[in-house]
Every structure is written in C-alpha cells, then in structure tokens.
C-alpha cells in the first residue's frame, strides 16, 4: 500500500492514472478507520478504476475547545485496513503541507451551514468545505464518497460542488452500525462503558420515529418531543439538538412530506454523538 505525504507526489500519480484513462474514486477521511469508512472504499472500488483515500485530521474544522489534539490516530492500523478492502493509495499530508505558513483562503457555503451541527459548531463547515475543496483540487476525482452519518456534511458538500461547478459526483453511502444499532464513529472510542451502553438509545429512538412516520404520523413537533422524551430517559444523555428538516435544503418542516432528515446530536459525558435517519413519504 503506497502512502503519499506530498501533494506534488500525489499529483504525479494522478496525472499518470488519468493519462492511462483511469477513473478516480476518492474517499476523504480523518482516519481511525472503521467499517463505515471501509464501506466507502468498497463502493468506490465498484465504480472506479483507482481509489484514493485521504487520511488527514483537519485542524480548521475543529473549534478552539474541541478535540483536534486528542482525535484518535493510528496510521499503521489504518494502512492495513485500507489495504484489506483494496484502496489503491493513501494520501496523508501533514498540516503544514495542507496549510503552509501564510495560508489565507477559505470556502464558505452560506445558510445551510448555520443550522443543525453548524449552530453548535460555528466555523466547522467552513473548515470542512475548505479542506474538501483543496483535496478535490489535488485528487481531481470523478466521484467522491461520504457517509450518511454526516448527512449535513453531504448536503453542504453537494451544494458547494454544484455552486462552484466542480465536475465531481458526490455519492452518499448508508450509515454502518454496530450490532446494537449505534452508528459507527471514530469518536465512539471516547465513550465509557456506561455511556456506550446508553448511546444505543439514539438509533433505537430514531428507528421508532421512522416507524411512526411510516404508520402515518406527519407532525414534526410530536415526533421531536417523542424523541426528546425517549432520549431523556437515559442518565448520561444531554441533547444538543433534535430536528426534522427537508433533506434537500435542511429547512425545518411544518409537516412531514417528501424526503426528510431526522437528525440529532447528543452528548454522552464529553462525547458528542450524531445520528440520523432519512425517510421518504
Ligand atoms: O467526514 C470527515 O471525516 C471529514 O469531515 C472530512 C470530510 C474528511 C473533511 O475533513
């Protein structure tokens, strides 16, 4: 498995892949890989000739009091996991390679970055769209793969790609869950045993809300208070937000119709977990 740290080295590989007519699939990650990330590589391999995964813990998407320093990292394990599912190459630049001294340029998508996670993590999506734009410019992929767990991130990146006329197809892959339903996340490793056991309430209550919609419930407020009550039954949970929005534009809904996103963020101790379901009615 080739691991490349320099942008110029990666560009040389990409030039030669493109010159031989290969399509490029791209899986951007911050590493500490789990089955969710690996499912993105598998999807990319099915649809592209050459799959590049990036592993870069991007400082610009973390707030001053967030977990940038302590974000879990394990390059050796990540390399063998990426290889086991057939990634062709890992791009793992340093912070100074991506943001050299004097760096000044940011990409900012308006409005849809100010709701849901954007409300509690100001500046987060500006960091995400900036690094993803840089990675897209470096990798020049045909298709890029993102997980539904970060549904707002997928909506924001899709909007950026459309608005900036980037010639890249964004593919959203389903959430991969632990056997008890907890959405896989590199941050799950922060949870204590008690918090981990309680965290299953998130997917459980989301699935129940989905079932209620399928059985005819159309009132978002009733669904949100149902979710709130269920989640508040566990000791460690502190709700950041629970919202029901239109999947396309993240606008709040007065009534359930079309393709909707039920999204939530809940803190268990110091760990903030997110989860969601997308329902179409
Ligand atoms: O979803 C992530 O892991 C990150 O936000 C991404 C897309 C790799 C950008 O740093």
């Amino acid at each position: 498995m080739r691991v490349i740290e320099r942008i110029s080295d990666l560009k040389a590989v990409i030039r030669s892949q493109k010159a031989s007519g290969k399509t490029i699939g791209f899986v951007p990650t911050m590493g500490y890989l789990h089955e969710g990330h690996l499912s993105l590589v598998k999807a990319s391999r099915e649809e592209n000739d050459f799959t590049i995964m990036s592993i870069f813990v991007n400082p610009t998407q973390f707030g001053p009091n967030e977990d940038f320093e302590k974000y879990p990292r394990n390059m050796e394990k990540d390399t063998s996991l990426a290889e086991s599912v057939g990634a062709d190459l890992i791009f793992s630049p340093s912070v100074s390679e991506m943001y050299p001294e004097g760096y000044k340029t940011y990409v900012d998508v308006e409005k849809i970055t100010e709701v849901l996670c954007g409300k509690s993590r100001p500046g987060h999506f500006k960091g995400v769209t900036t690094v993803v734009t840089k990675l897209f410019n470096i990798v020049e992929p045909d298709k890029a793969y993102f997980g539904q767990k970060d549904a707002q991130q997928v909506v924001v990146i899709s909007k950026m790609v459309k608005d900036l006329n980037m010639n890249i197809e964004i593919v959203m892959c389903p959430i991969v869950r632990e056997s008890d339903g907890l959405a896989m996340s590199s941050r799950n490793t922060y949870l204590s045993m008690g918090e981990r056991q309680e965290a299953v309430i998130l997917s459980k209550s989301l699935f129940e809300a989905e079932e209620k919609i399928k059985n005819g419930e159309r009132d978002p407020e009733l669904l949100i208070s149902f979710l709130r009550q269920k989640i508040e039954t566990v000791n460690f949970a502190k709700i950041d937000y629970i919202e029901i929005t239109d999947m396309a534009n993240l606008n709040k809904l007065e009534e359930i119709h079309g393709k909707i996103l039920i999204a939530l963020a809940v803190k268990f101790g110091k760990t903030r977990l997110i989860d969601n379901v997308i329902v179409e009615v």
Side-chain angles (χ1 to χ4, degrees), residues 127-180:
V128 170
T129 46
T130 298
V131 80
V132 170
T133 298
K134 285 174 68 66
L135 291 167
F136 282 177
N137 285 338
I138 296 164
V139 175
E140 295 181 64
D142 296 280
K143 294 187 179 190
Y145 296 78
F146 295 87
Q148 185 199 312
K149 188 170 79 68
D150 296 290
Q152 184 176 13
Q153 172 169 276
V154 182
V155 174
V156 168
I157 289 170
S158 303
K159 182 78 178 117
M160 174 186 85
V161 162
K162 182 163 186 270
D163 286 356
L164 296 182
N165 311 99
M166 295 174 171
N167 202 13
I168 299 166
E169 187 184 328
I170 302 300
V171 182
M172 181 171 77
C173 298
I175 298 177
V176 178
R177 298 181 180 280
E178 303 287 353
S179 55
D180 65 358

Side-chain angles (χ1 to χ4, degrees), residues 18-269:
K18 288 202 178 246
S20 54
K22 299 266 171 69
T23 57
I24 294 182
F26 179 43
V27 180
T29 80
M30 297 206 298
Y32 214 71
L33 304 179
H34 50 67
E35 283 298 327
H37 299 111
L38 303 185
S39 74
L40 304 179
V41 174
K42 289 176 196 162
S44 172
R45 271 180 49 90
E46 276 177 22
E47 299 177 344
N48 303 277
D49 302 319
F50 195 78
T51 291
I52 298 177
M53 168 182 268
S54 64
I55 296 182
F56 178 62
V57 184
N58 172 38
T60 64
Q61 70 189 75
F62 289 80
N65 299 317
E66 292 184 355
D67 56 343
F68 172 67
E69 295 297 343
K70 101 169 213 271
Y71 196 83
R73 293 157 169 93
N74 189 339
M75 197 55 201
E76 209 177 306
K77 189 163 172 221
D78 285 354
T79 309
S80 70
L81 284 172
E83 189 163 27
S84 73
V85 286
D88 294 293
L89 187 158
I90 291 177
F91 175 51
S92 171
S94 63
V95 171
S96 60
E97 182 74 359
M98 290 298 278
Y99 300 108
E101 188 73 31
Y103 186 87
K104 288 278 182 287
T105 306
Y106 293 86
V107 177
D108 200 4
V109 176
E110 296 176 348
K111 300 280 184 234
I112 54 173
T113 53
E114 288 158 22
V115 296
L116 306 173
C117 286
K119 214 164 165 182
S120 22
R121 302 186 69 190
H124 166 68
F125 286 109
K126 187 173 166 189
V128 170
T129 46
T130 298
V131 80
V132 170
T133 298
K134 285 174 68 66
L135 291 167
F136 282 177
N137 285 338
I138 296 164
V139 175
E140 295 181 64
D142 296 280
K143 294 187 179 190
Y145 296 78
F146 295 87
Q148 185 199 312
K149 188 170 79 68
D150 296 290
Q152 184 176 13
Q153 172 169 276
V154 182
V155 174
V156 168
I157 289 170
S158 303
K159 182 78 178 117
M160 174 186 85
V161 162
K162 182 163 186 270
D163 286 356
L164 296 182
N165 311 99
M166 295 174 171
N167 202 13
I168 299 166
E169 187 184 328
I170 302 300
V171 182
M172 181 171 77
C173 298
I175 298 177
V176 178
R177 298 181 180 280
E178 303 287 353
S179 55
D180 65 358
L182 180 69
M184 287 198 184
S185 164
S186 307
R187 288 189 169 100
N188 289 350
T189 167
Y190 298 153
L191 298 169
S192 71
M193 217 147 76
E195 290 164 352
R196 169 65 187 84
Q197 272 163 8
E198 287 196 343
V200 72
I201 192 71
L202 303 185
S203 56
K204 219 166 157 230
S205 37
L206 281 168
F207 296 153
E208 284 180 31
E210 181 177 14
E211 209 44 45
K212 282 184 181 290
I213 294 174
K214 288 187 177 148
N215 291 333
E217 182 58 73
R218 293 292 177 266
D219 184 342
E221 286 310 317
L222 279 181
L223 287 161
I224 290 171
S225 56
F226 162 77
L227 283 161
R228 191 169 283 281
Q229 274 172 26
K230 280 221 73 152
I231 292 169
E232 279 171 349
T233 59
V234 303
N235 286 330
F236 294 116
K238 249 186 116 203
I239 297 169
D240 175 356
Y241 69 78
I242 302 173
E243 291 203 19
I244 300 187
T245 74
D246 186 309
M247 180 59 199
N249 53 28
L250 305 182
N251 285 338
K252 276 194 191 177
L253 291 173
E254 307 259 293
E255 198 203 356
I256 304 283
H257 64 91
K259 195 170 182 181
I260 64 130
L261 173 70
I262 313 180
L264 50 78
V266 176
K267 273 185 115 175
F268 288 82

Side-chain angles (χ1 to χ4, degrees), residues 5-25:
E5 292 171 4
R6 295 259 165 219
I7 295 169
S8 54
D9 293 343
L10 180 62
K11 284 195 165 196
V13 173
I14 286 159
R15 259 196 308 277
S16 88
Q17 291 297 326
K18 288 202 178 246
S20 54
K22 299 266 171 69
T23 57
I24 294 182

